[in-house]
Amino acid sequence: MPQDPMDFEWSYWIEWGRERILWLLAGHLLVSQMSRLLVEKYKPWCLMVYGMAACWLLLGIKGFAVILLHAAISFAVAQFQLSLLTWLCSLILLSTLRIPAVEETKRKWYDTENEYYLLLFTVSVRCLFCTSFSLEYCWHAPAQKSSHSFPWMLAYVFYYPTFHNGPLVNFDEFSKQMRRQEAFSMKTNLSILIVGIIRIFFWWCLAELMIHLMYIHALYSSALPLESASYWALGGLALAQVLFFYVKYLVLYGVPGLLLQMDGLKPPPLPCCVSLMHSFTKMWRLISVESLAALLICRFTYRYIYVPMGGSQSSLLGTLLSTALTFAFVSYWHGGQSYLWYWGALNWLGVIVENGTKRILSVSLIQDLI
């Protein structure tokens, strides 16, 4: 039975995975386990060299140079230790991905559109990693700057399991865990690998079953069936789409998460099932702090935008502003198209309305009436 071809993301990453990325991830696993077994002290540098080689192989010398240039510029700007300047640099670097002349130049580097998109996705994610390193550099005392050197930035930026599509691990977590030397057990690691592969294979089979039988995205791409459907049917389609999104990211983040475990690192927890969510605010809080359920960068925005701007601990106006900036960055990072700004605005309104209602209901007079 033919599959639903309208989910670009799933088709794109599965195709790249089968062609090259899974083989390169297997190579990373081999290098990682050998370095842990033989030269634990030099493991970060072995993995850095491997990540650079994998980047060169997939994206070519020009793609590799773009990512290296982004890292060098970010590191140079971080030396001023000004968070605002770091953010300005990050937004400028991100904006270069949307300049038509630059886009056309990069397209000419590759034979196919898929290769160009791989560079685009990779550089977008690397921008987040560069920003994470730079902000952590700004926030740390001068005595701690030795642990935030340029080689450590390269080890972080070129760490291959999270290279193309995440998930995001902030620099401090990465460096502390990568420096930690633990007793290596091949038997334990092998059992983790086998169980992880079985689990991911089950999720992949479920996702393939959904995309071959349900045709959710094909239905969404045509106005006629949506106009003729009842509200109950539309609600069911919406639920089916977010459930497929959930299963899809169990696979897309499950693979790098397994490799993080094999490297002795703690991966971000996998998504919480959206069917268990009944609170709009709780959904985003769980995404931000615990799971990355819907978006790659929610963990990033929580640590580097929402909390520094005051978050829920600030005044009402401060909370509104920090929440708005969080959704604005998510919308801009994803491309900044008009529908993304509408999406961000509606999500912001949803969080604000729910929080506002909770505040009203917490008033003693209202509680007495209830």
Side-chain angles (χ1 to χ4, degrees):
M1 182 179 292
Q3 72 173 42
D4 182 350
M6 300 307 294
D7 189 284
F8 169 77
E9 187 178 33
W10 178 257
S11 304
Y12 182 84
W13 289 117
I14 291 299
E15 183 182 342
W16 268 108
R18 287 170 177 161
E19 286 183 4
R20 294 188 185 180
I21 291 178
L22 277 179
W23 298 105
L24 289 172
L25 289 173
H28 169 95
L29 178 63
L30 180 62
V31 171
S32 168
Q33 299 310 293
M34 291 302 294
S35 60
R36 291 190 73 185
L37 185 64
L38 303 173
V39 284
E40 176 76 18
K41 185 178 178 181
Y42 300 103
K43 180 182 71 173
W45 318 122
C46 294
L47 297 182
M48 178 189 75
V49 171
Y50 181 85
M52 287 180 161
C55 172
W56 194 317
L57 178 67
L58 272 189
L59 302 178
I61 180 62
K62 292 178 180 177
F64 172 79
V66 167
I67 294 171
L68 192 61
L69 180 63
H70 275 229
I73 292 171
S74 297
F75 184 79
V77 172
Q79 304 309 301
F80 293 98
Q81 298 183 38
L82 296 171
S83 297
L84 187 60
L85 190 61
T86 291
W87 268 115
L88 182 61
C89 171
S90 299
L91 291 172
I92 290 172
L93 289 175
L94 199 56
S95 69
T96 60
L97 303 179
R98 300 177 179 89
I99 299 173
V102 176
E103 285 182 333
E104 285 306 311
T105 300
K106 289 177 181 176
R107 273 189 168 90
K108 291 175 183 176
W109 297 348
Y110 301 106
D111 297 327
T112 65
E113 196 77 354
N114 273 1
E115 290 175 295
Y116 164 72
Y117 280 132
L118 185 65
L119 173 67
L120 182 65
F121 297 149
T122 304
V123 175
S124 297
V125 176
R126 292 308 94 198
C127 280
L128 300 181
F129 278 69
C130 289
T131 305
S132 173
F133 174 90
S134 300
L135 289 173
E136 298 290 350
Y137 186 95
C138 294
W139 294 347
H140 282 72
Q144 299 172 295
K145 290 294 188 282
S146 60
S147 61
H148 293 67
S149 62
F150 189 60
W152 268 105
M153 184 184 194
L154 294 182
Y156 175 57
V157 169
F158 285 97
Y159 180 67
Y160 195 69
T162 61
F163 191 68
H164 298 293
N165 195 38
L168 184 79
V169 180
N170 75 52
F171 176 73
D172 266 21
E173 290 176 0
F174 174 84
S175 62
K176 286 174 186 174
Q177 294 175 36
M178 192 63 81
R179 290 170 191 274
R180 187 178 62 220
Q181 296 187 15
E182 298 177 330
F184 178 75
S185 170
M186 184 66 77
K187 183 179 179 181
T188 303
N189 264 23
L190 188 60
S191 64
I192 291 171
L193 181 64
I194 292 170
V195 171
I197 289 174
I198 292 170
R199 185 182 291 121
I200 292 166
F201 181 72
F202 171 76
W203 295 332
W204 175 77
C205 289
L206 182 58
E208 283 291 319
L209 194 65
M210 292 173 77
I211 209 165
H212 277 84
L213 297 178
M214 298 178 73
Y215 293 88
I216 312 158
H217 302 88
L219 287 169
Y220 271 115
S221 66
S222 176
L224 187 60
L226 295 179
E227 289 172 352
S228 59
S230 68
Y231 290 129
W232 281 105
L234 290 174
L237 281 171
L239 178 60
Q241 187 179 39
V242 295
L243 286 174
F244 175 75
F245 195 87
Y246 160 67
V247 174
K248 173 170 66 175
Y249 271 87
L250 286 178
V251 177
L252 296 182
Y253 285 170
V255 173
L258 176 60
L259 290 176
L260 281 161
Q261 279 187 284
M262 298 295 292
D263 291 347
L265 308 179
K266 183 181 178 182
L270 287 171
C272 214
C273 182
V274 290
S275 294
L276 301 177
M277 296 290 105
H278 65 275
S279 165
F280 204 75
T281 307
K282 185 182 178 184
M283 180 187 75
W284 280 106
R285 188 180 295 122
L286 283 172
I287 291 168
S288 301
V289 182
E290 297 173 4
S291 67
L292 297 172
L295 297 165
L296 163 69
I297 59 173
C298 291
R299 190 182 180 94
F300 174 91
T301 54
Y302 183 84
R303 177 169 175 78
Y304 298 115
I305 300 177
Y306 186 74
V307 172
M309 290 298 296
S312 59
Q313 304 303 313
S314 62
S315 64
L316 177 60
L317 186 61
T319 303
L320 291 172
L321 179 61
S322 55
T323 309
L325 287 175
T326 298
F327 284 115
F329 181 77
V330 172
S331 301
Y332 182 71
W333 183 81
H334 276 84
Q337 290 89 350
S338 58
Y339 71 89
L340 288 167
W341 293 114
Y342 297 144
W343 171 87
L346 289 170
N347 276 277
W348 177 73
L349 284 172
V351 171
I352 295 305
V353 168
E354 189 172 275
N355 278 326
T357 304
K358 284 181 180 178
R359 290 194 181 194
I360 292 170
L361 293 177
S362 66
V363 175
S364 57
L365 178 62
I366 301 296
Q367 288 184 340
D368 292 340
L369 288 172
I370 291 173

